[in-house]
Amino acid sequence: MQYVTPTSLLTKNESHRLEKLRDYHILDTHSEDTFDKIALMVTQVFNCPSAFISFIDEDRIFIKSNLSQMTFNEAKRKDSLSSLAILQDDVLVFNDTMNVPEILDNPYVLGGNGVRFFAAVPLKTPEGYNVGTISVIDSRPREVTPLQIDMMKTLSKIVIDKLENRLRYRKTIESQIDLMNIALHEIKNPLASIKLANEIITKDGTKIPNMTEMIKSSVGRIQAKLSDLLKQSEMEETQIVLSIEEIDLKELFTRLQNSFDLLAARKNQSIIFELPDNPPPFFADRAKISDILHNLLSNAIKYSYHGATIMVMAAEVNGNIQIRVKDNGQGLDENDVDRLFTKFAKLSSKPTGKETSNGLGLSITKSFVELHNGTIEAISPGKDQGTSFIVTLPLRYEKEPSLSEFSS
């Protein structure tokens, strides 16, 4: 069967393929015994002098394992025969390259001691992306057997299993780090309330009953948050599970007012809460919704000027509950909007009362909103013209069906 030269070296899912390849963090790494042993097995199976484990980047191939006389570990993608192998799902075999006119001008085929025999199997990810190859070459023609092909395919699966295990491990570590960062961020507000209540008690003993209740509430929030995070860290894949219950907006806003009035008063700011006469009940995770609004209101206080007015409004819109936190503070520019919900984002706005910020709050807030199948957006006319954060949530949370539920 005659080989047909491809019109392009790009795969059908090139951008996703490259994204997955980079997720593996395998490019430009040192040689490793595990991969070298697999390449060695390939040379033994085919009784050939040279074998490679290569990964195909955007315009080059990176050779992770090189069992040959070649001294380089990188080549141009357009010159590599492995670049042809990732364009198909099966093994690519050239028993004798001299009989394949379409590749006779390849720089690795040209010459008296060039590649005469080539066989390669794609390294296919679980998603179906061919990120690289296991290949074997010789300077003389060869025939291959079905057993050799099957062995090569088996070894390619071992390579992918190794990469997937590393990826899972790395993501587990990253998840644990994220959980610690979330814990540190989420206990900042209740700790600030406790500190403020202590200062007030020290100055005015008549405020002890009110401040005692605030301290009790803040300690409860810290304990609940740490308990929640510990449970998450013990769960497989650290998947967050929502505890859905009916939420009374009036009660929720009252708790917010009690928590933030004192913090706002320190900067001579005022917070105005607006609700419809008969706010609709909605169903969500009370702790997560509270965290969302605590983060948004804390930011509004932190980045608004002294004497500012902050509005917190809720309304039913098209069968959803929409909550808007609006300030007349420093506002956002175009660059801020692009980075707003990313982790550790550094924005142009600065805290106006010597508060600290680690850039995690809005990233966490967005993830909590999306867990509820909701949306969050930020609107700002420009710098020093204020910002509105709009959270839209379904009145009743419904879990999206899993693949297993579809198949059952």
Side-chain angles (χ1 to χ4, degrees):
M1 183 175 178
Q2 186 175 356
Y3 177 74
V4 179
T5 306
T7 57
S8 171
L9 291 179
L10 300 181
T11 61
K12 295 179 180 179
N13 43 34
E14 183 70 8
S15 61
H16 296 297
R17 187 191 72 81
L18 289 172
E19 183 179 357
K20 181 67 177 186
L21 172 60
R22 282 157 191 162
D23 280 346
Y24 284 141
H25 290 195
I26 194 69
L27 295 174
D28 301 315
T29 55
H30 295 293
S31 62
E32 297 178 53
D33 186 57
T34 299
F35 294 99
D36 287 345
K37 284 180 178 176
I38 293 174
L40 177 61
M41 290 179 67
V42 174
T43 64
Q44 294 170 342
V45 167
F46 282 84
N47 193 27
C48 279
S50 303
F52 310 88
I53 297 177
S54 306
F55 295 93
I56 317 300
D57 199 2
E58 187 172 6
D59 54 9
R60 58 164 183 150
I61 71 163
F62 166 68
I63 304 174
K64 174 66 175 177
S65 185
N66 181 352
L67 267 64
S68 74
Q69 297 299 316
M70 300 178 184
T71 58
F72 54 84
N73 67 351
E74 184 174 308
K76 294 179 180 179
R77 180 174 177 177
K78 65 181 181 65
D79 295 335
S80 170
L81 295 178
S82 289
S83 297
L84 303 176
I86 66 167
L87 299 178
Q88 56 189 57
D89 291 331
D90 206 354
V91 177
L92 176 64
V93 178
F94 296 131
N95 293 312
D96 186 351
T97 57
M98 293 296 104
N99 295 328
V100 188
E102 291 82 2
I103 62 170
L104 285 178
D105 60 348
N106 182 278
Y108 297 106
V109 174
L110 291 172
N113 200 34
V115 176
R116 292 289 300 275
F117 167 75
F118 175 85
V121 60
L123 297 172
K124 184 184 295 295
T125 72
E127 299 85 358
Y129 306 137
N130 292 338
V131 294
T133 64
I134 297 179
S135 59
V136 57
I137 67 171
D138 200 347
S139 58
R140 64 184 181 86
R142 285 181 174 272
E143 296 293 327
V144 298
T145 67
L147 178 60
Q148 289 173 321
I149 296 299
D150 287 343
M151 285 292 294
M152 200 177 217
K153 289 180 178 179
T154 298
L155 292 172
S156 73
K157 292 176 182 177
I158 294 174
V159 171
I160 290 297
D161 285 346
K162 181 74 173 176
L163 294 175
E164 284 291 314
N165 286 336
R166 288 184 178 183
L167 181 59
R168 281 192 289 271
Y169 176 75
R170 188 168 62 251
K171 286 187 174 181
T172 298
I173 297 300
E174 290 173 352
S175 295
Q176 295 298 324
I177 293 173
D178 284 345
L179 285 173
M180 288 188 289
N181 285 330
I182 290 171
L184 291 172
H185 182 273
E186 292 300 315
I187 65 177
K188 281 172 60 180
N189 287 335
L191 283 175
S193 297
I194 292 172
K195 180 181 178 182
L196 180 57
N198 181 65
E199 292 175 358
I200 292 174
I201 290 173
T202 303
K203 296 177 181 178
D204 186 354
T206 63
K207 300 289 182 65
I208 289 178
N210 291 339
M211 296 303 102
T212 299
E213 184 61 32
M214 175 184 282
I215 292 173
K216 181 180 178 182
S217 174
S218 297
V219 170
R221 283 195 68 213
I222 292 174
Q223 290 175 331
K225 176 57 62 178
L226 292 178
S227 176
D228 186 31
L229 290 169
L230 284 173
K231 289 178 183 178
Q232 290 177 33
S233 68
E234 294 170 359
M235 293 173 58
E236 186 178 1
E237 302 296 335
T238 63
Q239 182 179 2
I240 299 175
V241 177
L242 299 180
S243 178
I244 304 300
E245 59 183 301
E246 184 175 337
I247 296 177
D248 185 328
L249 276 172
K250 287 184 178 179
E251 178 188 355
L252 182 64
F253 275 24
T254 298
R255 289 181 177 273
L256 282 172
Q257 189 167 15
N258 292 338
S259 297
F260 284 98
D261 268 355
L262 284 174
L263 288 174
R266 297 185 73 178
K267 297 171 76 171
N268 197 30
Q269 297 170 342
S270 58
I271 306 175
I272 298 175
F273 292 85
E274 289 186 1
L275 274 172
D277 292 335
N278 294 301
F282 76 105
F283 294 81
D285 185 309
R286 184 184 301 275
K288 298 292 186 294
I289 298 302
S290 179
D291 288 340
I292 290 168
L293 297 180
H294 269 77
N295 277 330
L296 294 179
L297 197 44
S298 174
N299 277 353
I301 292 172
K302 185 184 301 182
Y303 293 103
S304 291
Y305 300 111
H306 287 255
T309 298
I310 298 166
M311 303 287 295
V312 183
M313 300 162 281
E316 183 178 352
V317 179
N318 298 326
N320 297 304
I321 192 70
Q322 191 173 90
I323 302 174
R324 183 186 299 255
V325 179
K326 182 178 184 298
D327 65 62
N328 52 8
Q330 299 175 57
L332 304 169
D333 60 27
E334 290 184 5
N335 291 329
D336 290 334
V337 173
D338 291 338
R339 301 193 302 266
L340 199 57
F341 296 106
T342 60
K343 289 181 182 179
F344 309 110
K346 297 300 182 183
L347 307 179
S348 62
S349 299
K350 304 298 180 185
T352 57
K354 298 182 179 180
E355 300 98 336
T356 59
S357 174
N358 57 18
L360 271 171
L362 289 177
S363 172
I364 296 169
T365 298
K366 184 174 186 288
S367 67
F368 286 173
V369 170
E370 291 178 346
L371 278 173
H372 286 83
N373 301 325
T375 62
I376 181 171
E377 61 176 323
I379 299 175
S380 176
K383 291 303 295 179
D384 291 321
Q385 298 184 60
T387 305
S388 292
F389 284 90
I390 304 169
V391 175
T392 304
L393 301 164
L395 286 174
R396 184 180 290 272
Y397 168 81
E398 293 184 7
K399 181 181 178 182
E400 295 182 352
S402 64
L403 290 176
S404 61
E405 291 171 330
F406 276 120
S407 60
S408 59

